[in-house]
Amino acid sequence: MKLLKTIKVIAICAFLLAFNACKDKEQIQIDLSGNWSFKIDSLNVGEKQNWFLDNLSDTIKLPGSMAENGKGNDITVNTNYTGNMWNDSLWYTDPKMAKYRKEGNIKIPFWLQPVKDYKGAAWYQKTVTIPENWNGKTIKLNLERVHWESTVWVDNKKVGMQNSLATAHNYDLSDFLSSGVHTISIRVDNSIKNINVGKDAHSISDNTQTNWNGIVGGITLNLSPKLSLGLVKLYPNVSTNSVKVVVQTQGNTENVKTELTLQVREKSNHKNILKEVIENVHLNEDHKIIVDFNMGEKPKLWDEFNPNLYEMLLTLKSNKTVDTKRIVFGMREFKAVGTIFKINNRPIYLRGTLECAIFPKTGYPPTDVDSWKRILQIIKSHGLNHVRFHSWCPPEAAFIAADEMGVYIQAEASAWLANLGDGTPVDKWLYKEGEAIIDAYGNHPSFVLMTYGNEPSGKYHKEYLTKYVDHFKNLDNRRLYTSGAGYPYLPNMDYYNHRGPRIQGWNENLKSIINAKAPQTVFDWSKFIDKTPMPYVSHEMGQWCVYPNFKEMSKYTGVLKPKNFEIFKESLEENGMGELAEDFLMASGKLQTLCYKADIEAALRTKGMAGFQLLDLHDFPGQGTALVGVLDAFWDEKGYITPEEFKQFSGKTVPLARLEKRTFENRETLSATIEIAHFGEKALQSVTPKWTFTNPDGSIFSEGELKTTNIPLGNGIQLGLINQSFKKITKAQKLTLSIAVNEFKNSWDVWVYPNEKSIIETTKNYKVANRLDKKTMAYLKNGGSVLLNITKGDITPEYGGEIGIGFSSIFWNTSWTKEQKPHTLGIFCDPKHPALADFPTEYHSNWQWWDAMSHSNAIIFDQIPEINPIVRVIDDWFKNRKAALLFEAKVGKGKLLFSGIDLHTNLEERLEAKQLLYSLENYVSSDAFNPKIDLKEKQLKQMLKY
């Protein structure tokens, strides 16, 4: 026994020594970070004039971008941005934007504004000293992240050009460097040339990370033996507990006796070492070695709950050289089974968000692991387990962080193209880029999905993508492939990433589910899933906007400035509402949250659906400024929802209620089918779901339990039925239905209104009218009290008649969608105002306002600034118009309560409208109704079309 222990200790020591071989005294790397000589080549003459022989006159610090170093051009009206503008191009001609086109006050509203801009070639140069013991060995220049075409010279010799957007640029300088002093010159060109991935592709666009010029991440010269380890691919096989190891060697193999040693240990437990494998190999012409490594009887598997990682040390020995390489990997199998995904044969549901290369301080993605761990931890804290990198691929640090934290990644080959398959050079480049991504990041277990990029089109794009998918499925089976994020459908795909399952789609306007159908939680997306014979992941779900958070402006301390926010803030202040900024943020944020909850729950209710990808958990600062995040562009909270609250409806286990409607009369009984979507680590055993109805003060109205049951993995799992009578309720109120399954809880607000309302007792005369005709006007001017509720469409365009109001928040933004409806961000009101005493509300939109918003006009009162509405409508941040749904005023001797809400059409079919009308009548008839603002008859008539 002692002998065995001794042997084991010796083996461990030997293994640890091997893994720390980089500490050998021989220098094997030269760090090139620091100051470099620099020169801008705006006329593109540097190569012709042999700048690689010159001493460049300027200096720059690398890693970094030109903008970070203050290099480039100042922003002007003529700045040539990388990105389509759509409706944003109106900035160049809009008279209201004229002051922002003046020198010294340039401010653009459509994306964050860079401090400097440069598109073209720039030269970076550094003198290096090569040690004498590097002679005769392989020397490689590694540029971790270049944007985006690099050309390298050593002294007066050109080495070559590379143009990957996703992976490191590696140059073999062995034939160019010998001991002594040498000059390395790198020409970086970030202009769009023959390889055009699309101006809006997030890999290059000013919409997000900016089209920066520079080199970031590691910049090193690396030494290796003449015979060395090249590309290593590991193919885990969970069913056989083995890993297929495919090693590509580099260098001279003639008459060389070679030995390959494979050692594997747990990454988190260095003492747990698996059995070593030693292979005596004869290298053939293809320089390839293939070994099957046995992982033992029960290797630890990798997934979101247990991100177990292994580290393989490969040692290649010849009679002259030794080379080593470490590869981190995970034992996992990710596959499509019918319409769902499984990992290690367990069902999973992808709950994802996009990452669109949004890094306001640097303008480019971080290359350190800790930065990515912070982002992924925030994503996980909101209940999500998946990230789609929209039309770009992140640096390796993101994959490392995702491996360690158990997050599933969809990476894309850098493009968003409208002419895919047309035979342009980018068609071939995308194959090269995709292969480079797999070679660089393919061993990471987190890398489970891949596509060419975003929303392709073109006459031949389907034919092109069919071949593209086949190519990569045959090349590497460690992940699943689809045609493009968004479309098209192709039979040979592994999964479908499509936009169908969304409650608001592009150009649906007010005909979308959330705006055209009364509130309910019954529907799902089975109509899409049932006809799709592969996993279906909803593409860019959400896109719900919120009012700008002006408090975050101080965070923009880097290369991107919130000049767009400055425009919106100035507009709000010029319109006399600067003090309402925080109220608008909070109220619109509550509505935004409701919209995301509705979207996500519909997806989770859909049995057999594979997942969703939100656009977005955090703000998208470009494409017109799309403030679609519950988090800001820095991944920080805005204050209206916590990660814990968001996680209740987006996490691994979410109770769900199917409610036919959200408002009830007290003579009705609520019937709710309760189910659950459970994609946790294990099935839940002997669970007793509990339900409660709570009053607004938190007290319990009623409570109960459902039948004790076991809950397997999956969704559409039925838990039972709740029937709740409301007979005890005699006054209008909100109730909250909550379902708790162990520690998992979710809730839904409902409203109950009495069928028989108390008679309005008043000594005052008042009149309810739906038209301001002569008779009503005379009654008002002579001292009467009038509740005027107009018909939708009565307001003139200049007073709000063209404002599209629906229940939901704005979709994406009104600029880039070219004024798609709705145009507003919900309501803001004082819930304690006596006019709303019998219509229970919070300060923001909730589902009981759906009917009112669907039957109303916003009323612009910019020309009557003294009005303080009872209920405001929050306008979009581009216009910031003063808009009301409900306001009061004195007219002549009378009093007017003006409702932009139609409270007379089909009233018997509109429960909420009846209740709101009752509440307003109660107010108009009371002593509390005492408007302070005077309006003239002319002012009123200007608002109305008749």
Side-chain angles (χ1 to χ4, degrees), residues 694-700:
T694 53
N695 297 305
D697 63 4
S699 61
I700 294 177

Side-chain angles (χ1 to χ4, degrees), residues 302 304 334-335 339-343 347-353 383-388 406-410 446 448-450 480 495-497 535-538 541 600 603-604 609-614 650-652 679 715:
W302 183 95
E304 64 190 277
F334 190 90
K335 62 182 180 180
T339 66
I340 66 171
F341 294 124
K342 285 189 175 183
I343 189 163
I348 67 166
Y349 192 102
L350 294 182
R351 306 178 307 280
T353 184
L384 307 182
N385 62 0
H386 167 50
V387 182
R388 174 201 162 201
V407 175
Y408 307 112
I409 284 178
Q410 175 172 312
S446 57
V448 297
L449 302 174
M450 185 178 173
L480 303 181
Y495 68 104
Y496 193 25
N497 194 185
Y536 197 132
V537 179
S538 184
M541 196 173 81
I600 290 170
L604 291 176
M609 189 168 168
F612 60 79
Q613 295 166 341
L614 297 179
S650 67
K652 63 183 179 183
F679 292 94
N715 63 344

Side-chain angles (χ1 to χ4, degrees), residues 836-882:
L836 304 173
D838 291 291
F839 190 74
T841 185
E842 298 94 341
Y843 65 89
H844 55 81
S845 292
N846 208 333
W847 294 105
Q848 87 278 28
W849 283 99
W850 182 91
D851 177 86
M853 303 299 282
S854 301
H855 294 83
S856 65
N857 276 125
I859 304 155
I860 297 175
F861 61 101
D862 289 344
Q863 298 180 39
I864 319 169
E866 59 271 22
I867 286 179
N868 184 23
I870 297 170
V871 179
R872 287 181 182 266
V873 176
I874 305 172
D875 196 16
D876 78 75
W877 52 89
F878 297 100
K879 299 183 180 69
N880 282 315
R881 295 162 293 194
K882 289 182 175 177

Side-chain angles (χ1 to χ4, degrees), residues 322-581:
V322 178
D323 191 29
T324 62
K325 181 170 284 194
R326 297 181 188 85
I327 306 292
V328 175
F329 68 100
M331 293 294 294
R332 67 104 173 115
E333 179 187 48
F334 190 90
K335 62 182 180 180
V337 180
T339 66
I340 66 171
F341 294 124
K342 285 189 175 183
I343 189 163
N344 307 328
N345 217 32
R346 191 187 68 242
I348 67 166
Y349 192 102
L350 294 182
R351 306 178 307 280
T353 184
L354 270 62
E355 209 310 301
C356 299
I358 299 163
F359 307 102
K361 289 191 176 181
T362 59
Y364 59 76
T367 57
D368 65 291
V369 175
D370 285 345
S371 293
W372 284 105
K373 280 188 173 181
R374 174 187 175 267
I375 292 171
L376 296 182
Q377 181 54 51
I378 291 168
I379 288 170
K380 289 191 71 172
S381 73
H382 285 78
L384 307 182
N385 62 0
H386 167 50
V387 182
R388 174 201 162 201
F389 289 91
H390 180 309
S391 60
W392 77 292
C393 179
E396 186 162 32
F399 292 93
I400 293 171
D403 290 346
E404 295 181 7
M405 300 185 70
V407 175
Y408 307 112
I409 284 178
Q410 175 172 312
E412 301 181 6
S414 310
W416 182 357
L417 285 166
N419 62 338
L420 190 62
D422 284 2
T424 60
V426 74
D427 287 350
K428 289 184 178 179
W429 181 88
L430 281 168
Y431 277 85
K432 179 184 172 184
E433 183 81 341
E435 291 171 2
I437 289 170
I438 289 173
D439 287 348
Y441 313 127
N443 292 320
H444 291 281
S446 57
F447 185 8
V448 297
L449 302 174
M450 185 178 173
T451 181
Y452 106 96
N454 190 60
E455 297 175 356
S457 60
K459 186 176 180 181
Y460 305 106
H461 75 286
K462 289 186 178 181
E463 293 88 338
Y464 175 90
L465 286 169
T466 298
K467 294 176 182 178
Y468 194 84
V469 169
D470 277 341
H471 173 78
F472 284 99
K473 286 173 69 173
N474 292 328
L475 178 70
D476 195 304
N477 64 0
R478 292 174 292 180
R479 64 202 45 83
L480 303 181
Y481 301 90
T482 193
S483 60
Y487 41 76
Y489 179 83
L490 301 172
N492 67 330
M493 301 184 306
D494 291 317
Y495 68 104
Y496 193 25
N497 194 185
H498 190 247
R499 62 190 180 185
R502 303 194 317 212
I503 59 175
Q504 179 92 23
W506 185 268
N507 216 27
E508 286 188 334
N509 293 281
L510 300 180
K511 296 180 180 179
S512 62
I513 285 178
I514 192 171
N515 287 305
K517 295 187 178 181
Q520 43 96 354
T521 63
V522 174
F523 71 96
D524 58 36
W525 304 116
S526 55
K527 67 178 182 180
F528 296 110
I529 307 307
D530 291 348
K531 65 180 182 181
T532 307
M534 63 181 67
Y536 197 132
V537 179
S538 184
H539 168 72
E540 297 184 0
M541 196 173 81
Q543 306 186 44
W544 300 116
C545 284
V546 66
Y547 198 79
N549 178 21
F550 297 134
K551 298 191 302 296
E552 78 187 52
M553 292 168 66
S554 61
K555 297 180 185 179
Y556 292 85
T557 57
V559 301
L560 291 168
K561 302 300 181 183
K563 300 295 184 180
N564 48 356
F565 277 47
E566 291 180 21
I567 293 173
F568 309 146
K569 187 172 185 288
E570 289 168 17
S571 168
L572 187 71
E573 291 168 348
E574 288 167 0
N575 290 343
M577 296 184 290
E579 76 283 356
L580 293 173

Side-chain angles (χ1 to χ4, degrees), residues 256-262 277-283 289-291 315-318:
V256 176
K257 184 179 179 182
T258 310
E259 181 182 273
L260 178 66
T261 303
L262 306 179
V277 170
I278 301 175
E279 292 278 330
N280 292 312
V281 295
H282 177 71
L283 297 175
I289 306 170
I290 299 176
V291 180
T315 304
L316 184 68
K317 295 181 181 179
S318 71

